[in-house]
Amino acid sequence: MRFGLISDIHSNLAALEAVLKDLGKVDGLLCVGDIVGYGPQPNEVIERIREYELFTILGNHDMAVLGLLELQEFNHDAIEANLWTREKLTKENWEWLESLKTKAKFDENVTLAHGSPLEPVWEYLTTPHAASRNFPEFDTPLCFVGHTHLPRLFRMLDGKRPGTNLPKVEMHIPDPGQTIIIGFGRLILNPGSVGQPRDGDSRASYAIYDDVEETIVFKRVAYDIKRTQQLMQDQGLPQRLLMRLDYGL
């Protein structure tokens, strides 16, 4: 089956629509959290992804909006955006978010965790060292994560890191359009952010997971950034959050 793998949409409907159009026909969506926060259209984003066969988990911004995390853990702009989102969510969408977990197994091959399998809410997986601590924390061949907004692939290798009982791990920064053959070794994979990329590329980032072909394709697609920025401006959301979309930062 063919799945769209998405993360960190952050209430950016224009970016999500561009991804869904680019994605084409799929059997479902796998979403690694942070559906809301930052952006101007939280209800529309939730309702759009729920039109698909969907398996998703919560991210830290989703939890903050629900009051499950202390807002003091976030920077000022994120606090302001999360408070705004809290006021805008419909009762139905609020209850739907509340029903989600922070870490879950999709099937016998895939685990989802927003930050990491070890620390689903807060850990940023950005190095092979961090990834090596996490491979013992899930029992599936694949783990999909988000949170960093950076497309990354970590592959477990044979052998142990010197002086530890942890596996050797290699990190790969994928190019847009690159196909990864799952093939050998266990993987931790981050598709990057749909709604707020942070790798210097302003295009929405996502991946396609095919469990029959055993491939993962990393993808980028341009979207109407100005539309999202105008909606953020209209709602009085923080200017810095609006401006950073231009630069993918």
Side-chain angles (χ1 to χ4, degrees), residues 35-36 46 50 56-58 62-63 65-68 89-102:
I35 300 160
V36 300
I46 290 173
R50 292 186 70 189
T56 186
I57 57 173
L58 286 173
D62 305 319
M63 295 177 70
V65 167
L66 294 173
L68 300 176
L89 274 186
T90 65
K91 182 175 184 291
E92 179 182 357
N93 289 334
W94 182 289
E95 291 175 349
W96 178 77
L97 278 179
E98 278 189 319
S99 72
L100 304 178
K101 300 177 180 179
T102 59

Side-chain angles (χ1 to χ4, degrees), residues 17-221:
E17 291 289 7
V19 164
L20 296 177
K21 181 178 180 180
D22 193 60
L23 182 59
K25 182 175 175 55
V26 290
D27 297 291
L29 297 177
L30 303 179
C31 179
V32 202
D34 275 0
I35 300 160
V36 300
Y38 290 136
Q41 294 178 282
N43 290 303
E44 293 88 341
V45 161
I46 290 173
E47 288 153 15
R48 188 71 173 96
I49 61 175
R50 292 186 70 189
E51 293 175 11
Y52 286 76
E53 289 293 325
L54 175 68
F55 187 86
T56 186
I57 57 173
L58 286 173
N60 58 310
H61 285 262
D62 305 319
M63 295 177 70
V65 167
L66 294 173
L68 300 176
L69 291 178
E70 292 292 336
L71 286 175
Q72 288 75 11
E73 301 288 338
F74 295 80
N75 65 49
H76 177 77
D77 289 339
I79 291 171
E80 188 175 335
N82 284 333
L83 287 173
W84 177 88
T85 304
R86 189 179 289 179
E87 294 298 316
K88 294 296 181 180
L89 274 186
T90 65
K91 182 175 184 291
E92 179 182 357
N93 289 334
W94 182 289
E95 291 175 349
W96 178 77
L97 278 179
E98 278 189 319
S99 72
L100 304 178
K101 300 177 180 179
T102 59
K103 176 181 175 181
K105 188 181 291 189
F106 171 60
D107 60 16
E108 67 275 9
N109 293 314
V110 174
T111 299
L112 272 62
H114 179 66
S116 76
L118 181 62
E119 295 288 347
V121 178
W122 285 117
E123 185 175 15
Y124 290 87
L125 286 186
T126 57
T127 66
H129 173 74
S132 70
R133 300 186 307 114
N134 276 274
F135 276 99
E137 301 299 321
F138 64 99
D139 60 6
T140 54
L142 302 173
C143 180
F144 299 146
V145 299
H147 194 45
T148 67
H149 298 214
L150 304 172
R152 291 291 186 272
L153 175 72
F154 300 95
R155 189 184 293 274
M156 190 175 78
L157 305 176
D158 292 335
K160 303 292 184 181
R161 291 175 51 219
T164 76
N165 197 37
L166 297 173
K168 291 181 181 178
V169 173
E170 66 176 9
M171 183 180 81
H172 180 64
I173 301 175
D175 295 321
Q178 184 172 1
T179 298
I180 304 297
I181 306 299
I182 296 171
F184 68 95
R186 299 171 69 212
L187 302 179
I188 298 175
L189 182 141
N190 189 326
S193 172
V194 170
Q196 197 184 84
R198 291 183 187 166
D199 60 348
D201 185 337
S202 63
R203 295 176 297 171
S205 182
Y206 75 101
I208 300 169
Y209 165 53
D210 191 317
D211 64 359
V212 176
E213 298 293 330
E214 295 191 329
T215 59
I216 296 167
V217 183
F218 285 85
K219 302 279 281 183
R220 300 304 282 252
V221 60

Side-chain angles (χ1 to χ4, degrees), residues 227-242:
R227 173 170 172 73
T228 296
Q229 289 173 323
Q230 185 60 59
L231 290 170
M232 293 174 75
Q233 188 82 44
D234 293 345
Q235 295 297 334
L237 289 165
Q239 192 72 16
R240 194 175 77 91
L241 297 181
L242 181 160

